[in-house]
Amino acid sequence: MKRMSYIAILIILIAILMLGCGRLFGGMSKDRAAVTLEQYLTERFQKKLSFENLNRFFNEGNMNPNMFSVEIFDQQYPKIRFALHFDAKKMKEEDLLDQGGYQERSLKEMYTEAKTDYTIKQHITEQLENKGILTNFEYYSVNLNFTTTPSSLFIKNTISELLNTMNQNRDTLYCGGYFKFNIKTPLLSHSLLQGETIPGIEGWDFTHFTINTKAEAYTKLQSKINLDIIAYLKQSQASYRLHPTSKTYVNADTFDEAVWIQFLSDQNGSRSKEPVAWNEPITAVLLVFFDLETQKILRMELHPLTDSRTFEEYWAKVDQILPFTTTL
């Protein structure tokens, strides 16, 4: 027990020394690094660029106590920003930007790319605003707030056109490979509606409309549906229990209905010590249809599974049993 305590204390001390006291290993102080970076930016960009969130980037991966991470931004247009790593000692003593392999492009190139990204997104934002849609881009998603109640066709056309523009500029946009469209309308005010994409050959490929699991209303919806499922299984005397995996789709024909697809396992089946989501057999699928705005349950459909398809096949093809369209 004492030995474990000593090891824990040693680990904490090492972490403190590495993350908070890099200068003890010969590293430049954070204040001096800030002064050095400010001088470097002033000489090359005449105070056009500034920075924030400067932190020491000394870890077991680089073992360089002089390495720092920082966020650079345009002082006139603060939304033009990008992340930077730099060796403060080399910048001070050699007037050199060394990013330690994290980035090989020059500061000027990175700034130009950030400006291009901003310009494209600003153009998109202005175009959508003219259509009554307020837009806010993030790295993995874009928030689309329709200020007037749109038709389902208008929502799909908007996303289709936006996706086409993004794909035309794929190489210059700062966006994640798995990109999402978060949709809010006067009727769907809780922001549960979401469109998903996956990385494709020529950009992003739209897959389906689903539920935004990061929306504030999601946790309440999840709890409600789980309770309704448990009550349904008990009332119908079905010998199933909830499998830890589920999936959601939204009716793209109307956007007023969604389905919660809950996988089920045998009540008396054995539980694996491995990650249950991939190893516990799926013996049924429960479709829970509900109103997307009120979250009222509309109906439930139980589908026992009798064939020998794998978990992955069920997961990939389960949308084929739905009575509505789920994509653009």
Side-chain angles (χ1 to χ4, degrees):
M1 188 69 181
K2 288 185 177 180
R3 183 179 179 182
M4 294 297 295
S5 299
Y6 292 147
I7 293 175
I9 293 172
L10 181 60
I11 292 174
I12 293 173
L13 289 174
I14 291 174
I16 292 174
L17 289 173
M18 290 181 66
L19 300 177
C21 303
R23 77 185 89 179
L24 296 179
F25 295 91
M28 184 182 293
S29 71
K30 185 175 177 179
D31 289 341
R32 287 184 62 195
V35 172
T36 298
L37 179 59
E38 185 173 3
Q39 292 174 344
Y40 188 87
L41 294 176
T42 299
E43 291 174 3
R44 285 160 177 77
F45 296 93
Q46 292 73 49
K47 296 186 177 181
K48 190 171 186 177
L49 297 182
S50 188
F51 63 91
E52 61 185 8
N53 300 323
L54 175 69
N55 294 290
R56 191 181 301 279
F57 199 69
F58 176 43
N59 55 44
E60 66 279 4
N62 62 60
M63 295 303 290
N64 182 354
N66 294 298
M67 187 64 67
F68 289 82
S69 65
V70 70
E71 196 170 4
I72 307 293
F73 64 91
D74 187 304
Q75 294 212 61
Q76 186 175 0
Y77 302 100
K79 288 187 177 181
I80 301 177
R81 56 180 59 223
F82 55 93
L84 177 73
H85 295 87
F86 70 100
D87 185 317
K89 185 175 182 181
K90 288 186 177 181
M91 182 175 285
K92 175 69 175 178
E93 297 179 355
E94 304 175 34
D95 196 28
L96 173 68
L97 175 62
D98 182 354
Q99 301 191 66
Y102 292 98
Q103 182 63 260
E104 296 183 356
R105 287 169 294 179
S106 68
L107 193 59
K108 184 177 180 180
E109 289 174 327
M110 296 172 72
Y111 177 41
T112 300
E113 290 177 356
K115 286 194 295 183
T116 302
D117 171 79
Y118 171 78
T119 301
I120 294 172
K121 289 177 179 176
Q122 189 64 22
H123 179 66
I124 292 173
T125 297
E126 291 172 357
Q127 284 190 322
L128 291 178
E129 189 172 351
N130 291 334
K131 297 180 179 181
I133 307 168
L134 304 181
T135 308
N136 179 37
F137 275 95
E138 297 178 0
Y139 185 71
Y140 288 106
S141 64
V142 59
N143 299 318
L144 301 173
N145 183 1
F146 292 77
T147 56
T148 58
T149 302
S151 66
S152 58
L153 181 61
F154 185 67
I155 292 176
K156 289 189 286 188
N157 285 343
T158 298
I159 293 179
S160 181
E161 293 171 4
L162 174 54
L163 186 60
N164 183 55
T165 300
M166 291 177 62
N167 282 335
Q168 290 175 4
N169 298 278
R170 178 65 182 92
D171 295 334
T172 53
L173 286 175
Y174 286 168
C175 293
Y178 292 87
F179 195 78
K180 303 177 186 297
F181 298 89
N182 299 324
I183 302 163
K184 183 177 181 180
T185 73
L187 291 179
L188 303 175
S189 56
H190 43 46
S191 303
L192 274 174
L193 180 59
Q194 184 179 78
E196 286 197 358
T197 70
I198 58 174
I201 297 176
E202 298 180 356
W204 293 274
D205 291 337
F206 192 89
T207 56
H208 62 281
F209 287 97
T210 184
I211 299 296
N212 183 2
T213 58
K214 294 185 178 180
E216 291 184 9
Y218 176 77
T219 301
K220 181 180 178 180
L221 172 65
Q222 183 183 40
S223 298
K224 180 182 184 302
I225 288 183
N226 283 341
L227 290 174
D228 288 336
I229 290 175
I230 293 172
Y232 172 85
L233 294 176
K234 184 177 180 180
Q235 182 180 9
S236 61
Q237 297 183 339
S239 58
Y240 299 113
R241 64 185 176 209
L242 272 66
H243 193 275
T245 50
S246 61
K247 200 168 188 176
T248 55
Y249 288 94
V250 171
N251 185 338
D253 296 325
T254 61
F255 292 112
D256 60 4
E257 178 186 16
V259 59
W260 184 288
I261 301 176
Q262 179 64 54
F263 291 109
L264 301 173
S265 300
D266 284 337
Q267 182 67 40
N268 299 321
S270 61
R271 291 189 180 275
S272 170
K273 293 183 180 180
E274 299 297 326
V276 178
W278 297 102
N279 289 275
E280 187 169 338
I282 298 170
T283 55
V285 173
L286 183 64
L287 306 184
V288 184
F289 295 89
F290 61 96
D291 185 284
L292 189 58
E293 174 60 22
T294 65
Q295 301 177 16
K296 179 182 178 181
I297 302 299
L298 303 174
R299 65 189 184 280
M300 293 190 186
E301 296 177 6
L302 182 62
H303 296 260
L305 305 177
T306 57
D307 55 34
S308 58
R309 285 180 296 169
T310 65
F311 174 89
E312 290 83 0
E313 287 174 320
Y314 283 129
W315 184 263
K317 299 177 182 179
V318 71
D319 61 312
Q320 296 178 1
I321 64 176
L322 300 180
F324 48 67
T325 303
T326 64
T327 189
L328 294 175

